[in-house]
């Protein structure tokens, strides 16, 4: 399994890759990945690579990712080249048409890439009082719903619980379920 | 007993340091190395080793502390990034030749591709210049194993050893085996005999040089036998190409060969590039018609290969001479070496997608609510034409609000301001143009103080602005002499006063301000330059406000909105204030608040010349 997670600084990307790592470790799989620190955390683009199974290097190569988790629409557009044919794009987006029309739509259909669009900010505004902090776990809920990772809701919820600071636990589980249902 | 945990490369290195019985570990934070020292503290607590962990005010200080501990017979370790090694280069080169009692390890994290650095120098070149052994890990697991071997080697030969992870090793996350067993620490002993052993004087050093060279050659032999780090992965089919791969490039090229399904390429992995086990390499080169060398960043291994007639690498331009060897680059070079044409058809599609959807490219900029933003905004407001020298730290990102003119290295803003003043002075226009130097609290202690003392001594007229956000923010929030807090809970430090240090350097005009109070601060900025220019000496402003990302108490809640009937769409708030919480509304041609990023600090109310940004009221 190879997953690329993209977004901008402050969206909780590193926490998401930690959760994925924990789940793989519990399954007894080998894990390697890479994250970006420093400058890029200050509001710039952030990217995290995650690989489980038999791999040597930490970076996912263009055209190899099974899943692209995009916390931000623009970052999804800029990084769609990571996906392999038949892969899955899960994107926080309030305008799904951007991935359905034009060259982008054509490319995704040609490559048989499944697109799952979540209006993360809209849902969080409505259901969680605009606390956008929980976007990352919501996207993980969508990942479970997409069936592209082989991760069950049970395994996901238990890893999120164990890695969350106590004060965020209940809200994280709530966000996870919101992402699963959308 | 052992256990498997997912660790960051830096955590794996830290674990290795504690398991190896290191008694004293020091560092100055710098991406990509910053997480190592705090992790050493955490593992030491977990395993009860009482390892002493200290931040030095800079890398030279950190290394010299580790050297002192080593003189007292302890295993010790200093951690820094590649640029920091330049700061520590003085003790680094001096101690290299000495015969040490304890094992001394220097961990230097390199940053090929300059993800968070001003250069991508190759620290293996420093190891080579100092003639000390260098380990070049290819993943987190190997990095941890190498720490143990580096300490062992350093101990046995009485030499300093280097571990040189690169950014992809530091920041990879991998499942790593950890053990509970620890190499037991020796008691601290300072053996005064033979006299002069640790004294760096020509007469003494002459006796060291030959011995040092002999040790270096002996280690070359040991490296030749270290088949866990230097080994061949033979091709399954007759080899059409040999690849010599170092560090992370080894991991990358193995994945690519699997991906391409090529079985006709053999690999020689080199994990100990300095001193290079030349015999191994020569034998590999002899057995292949063509050999491709993959290493970051400089051709350090390639340059040590005696016969390079069949070798392709960075010297002869087969591999790009600069930049990171990411998988896409390695695959392209590898295919070219194998005579295969690359398929570039998708690239055109991606270009077209970019053209149609033009995604926003987000460069790093100051966080919403960051106190540096109003500080720079105020300076520029008062003196739009001022020369503003900046420094290494978050505040350099104020370049996005057009507030920063220069940036050299840690502490370089103070001295650059001195130089700019002298340049104007040489033309007889010393104080015609306002000059500001800006640097952070941690940077001030790192190497700003020496520049300030020099400026006072020589009577240089400029305003030094210390942006004190009570933390080393850029690298993730490490403490420093100014915060006084230490890494371990229960360990108490002392906060060194910036004001007292400034006064101690002889500065006569000093003011401490809250950068959030833009209106009030403008007058003081004016006065500061007035003092500096009329008295021919530096004036100092300390802007003090805690880093927004590391607040210990909740800030005041001051939400704002843009009143569209007042906003004239001048764009000053977007351009000059440049907060991610304020965005341009294409539809109306006016500014608006983006609630996804706004942190409700309310500072931007003072920014709009028309008063269109207004408090919204309400409670959280």
């Amino acid at each position: 399994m190879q997953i690329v997670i993209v977004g901008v600084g402050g969206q909780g990307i590193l926490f998401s890759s930690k959760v994925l790592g924990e789940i793989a470790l519990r399954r007894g799989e080998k894990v390697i990945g890479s994250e970006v620190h420093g400058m890029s955390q200050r509001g710039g683009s952030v990217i995290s690579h995650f690989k489980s199974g038999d791999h040597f290097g930490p970076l996912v190569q263009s055209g190899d990712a099974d899943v692209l988790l995009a916390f931000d629409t623009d970052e999804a557009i800029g990084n769609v080249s990571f996906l392999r044919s038949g892969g899955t794009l899960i994107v926080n987006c309030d305008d799904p048409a951007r991935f359905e029309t034009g060259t982008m739509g054509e490319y995704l259909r040609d490559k048989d890439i499944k697109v799952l669009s979540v209006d993360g900010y809209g849902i969080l505004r409505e259901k969680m009082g605009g606390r956008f902090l929980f976007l990352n776990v919501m996207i993980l809920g969508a990942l479970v719903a997409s069936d592209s990772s082989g991760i069950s809701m049970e395994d996901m919820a238990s890893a999120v619980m164990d890695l969350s600071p106590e004060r965020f636990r209940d809200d994280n589980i709530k966000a996870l379920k919101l992402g699963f249902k959308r | 007993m052992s256990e498997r945990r997912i660790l960051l490369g830096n955590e794996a290195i830290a674990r290795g340091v504690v398991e190896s019985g290191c008694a004293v570990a020091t560092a100055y934070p710098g991406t990509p190395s910053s997480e190592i020292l705090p992790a050493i503290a955490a593992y030491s607590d977990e395993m009860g080793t009482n390892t002493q962990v200290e931040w030095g005010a800079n890398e030279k200080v950190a290394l010299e502390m580790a050297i002192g501990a080593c003189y007292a017979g302890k295993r010790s370790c200093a951690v820094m990034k590649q640029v920091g090694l330049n700061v520590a280069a003085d003790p680094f080169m001096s101690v290299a030749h000495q015969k040490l009692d304890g094992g001394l390890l220097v961990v230097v994290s390199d940053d090929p591709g300059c993800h968070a650095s001003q250069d991508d120098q190759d620290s293996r070149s420093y190891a080579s210049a100092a003639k000390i052994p260098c380990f070049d890990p290819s993943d987190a697991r190997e990095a941890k194993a190498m720490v143990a071997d580096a300490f062992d080697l350093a101990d046995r030969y009485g030499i300093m050893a280097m571990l040189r992870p690169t950014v992809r090793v530091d920041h990879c996350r991998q499942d790593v085996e950890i053990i509970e067993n620890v190499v037991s620490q020796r008691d601290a002993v300072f053996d005064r005999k033979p006299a002069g052993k640790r004294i760096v004087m020509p007469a003494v050093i002459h006796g060291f040089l030959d011995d040092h060279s002999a040790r270096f050659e002996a280690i070359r032999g040991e490296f030749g036998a270290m088949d866990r780090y230097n080994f061949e992965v033979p091709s399954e089919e007759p080899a059409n190409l040999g690849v010599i791969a170092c560090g992370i490039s080894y991991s990358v090229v193995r994945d690519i060969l699997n991906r391409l399904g090529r079985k006709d390429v053999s690999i020689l992995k080199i994990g100990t590039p300095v001193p290079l086990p030349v015999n191994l390499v020569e034998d590999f080169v002899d057995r292949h018609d063509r050999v491709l060398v993959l290493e970051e960043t400089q051709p350090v291994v390639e340059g040590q290969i005696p016969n390079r007639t069949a070798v392709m690498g960075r010297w002869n331009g087969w591999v790009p001479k600069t930049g990171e060897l990411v998988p896409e680059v390695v695959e392209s070079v590898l295919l070219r070496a194998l005579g295969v044409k690359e398929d570039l058809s998708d690239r055109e599609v991606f270009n077209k997608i970019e053209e149609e959807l033009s995604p926003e490219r987000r460069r790093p900029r100051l966080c919403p609510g960051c106190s540096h933003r109003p500080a720079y905004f105020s300076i520029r407001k008062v003196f739009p034409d001022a020369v503003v020298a900046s420094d290494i730290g978050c505040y350099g990102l104020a370049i996005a609000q057009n507030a920063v003119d220069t940036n050299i290295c840690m502490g370089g803003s103070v001295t650059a301001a001195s130089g700019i003043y002298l340049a104007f002075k040489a033309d007889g226009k010393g104080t015609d143009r306002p000059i500001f130097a800006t640097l952070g609290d941690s940077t001030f202690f790192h190497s700003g103080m020496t520049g300030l003392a020099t400026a006072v001594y020589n009577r240089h007229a400029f305003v030094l602005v210390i942006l004190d956000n009570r933390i080393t923010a850029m690298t993730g929030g490490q403490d420093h002499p100014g915060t006084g807090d230490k890494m371990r809970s229960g360990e108490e430090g002392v906060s060194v006063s910036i004001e007292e240090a400034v006064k101690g350097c002889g500065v006569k005009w000093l003011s401490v301000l809250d950068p959030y109070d833009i209106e009030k601060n403008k007058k003081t900025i004016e006065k500061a330059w007035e003092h500096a220019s009329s008295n021919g000496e530096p004036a100092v402003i300390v802007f003090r406000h805690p880093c927004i990302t590391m607040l210990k108490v909740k800030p005041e809640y001051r939400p704002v909105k843009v009143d569209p009937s007042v906003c004239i769409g001048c764009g000053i708030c977007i351009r000059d204030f440049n907060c991610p919480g304020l965005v341009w509304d294409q539809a109306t041609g006016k500014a608006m608040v983006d609630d996804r990023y706004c942190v409700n600090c309310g500072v931007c109310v003072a920014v709009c010349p028309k008063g269109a940004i207004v408090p919204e009221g309400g409670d959280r």
Side-chain angles (χ1 to χ4, degrees), chain A residues 51-67:
Chain A
K51 297 158 99 172
S52 60
D54 282 323
H55 302 283
F56 289 90
L59 295 180
V60 176
Q61 192 172 343
S62 295
D64 276 0
D66 300 291
V67 179

Side-chain angles (χ1 to χ4, degrees), chain B residues 291-340:
Chain B
V291 170
L292 177 68
V293 184
L294 297 172
E295 61 183 320
E296 289 176 328
T297 309
Q298 300 296 318
V300 170
V301 164
E302 187 187 349
Q304 294 177 75
I305 302 173
N307 179 359
R308 293 204 294 273
T309 46
V311 171
M312 299 171 282
R314 285 192 136 140
W315 273 120
N316 53 16
W318 257 92
V319 178
K321 287 197 184 281
T322 56
E324 194 183 0
L325 295 181
V326 293
E328 289 75 11
V329 173
V330 172
E331 181 170 305
S332 159
V333 172
L334 190 73
L335 288 176
R336 202 152 52 84
L338 285 163
V340 181

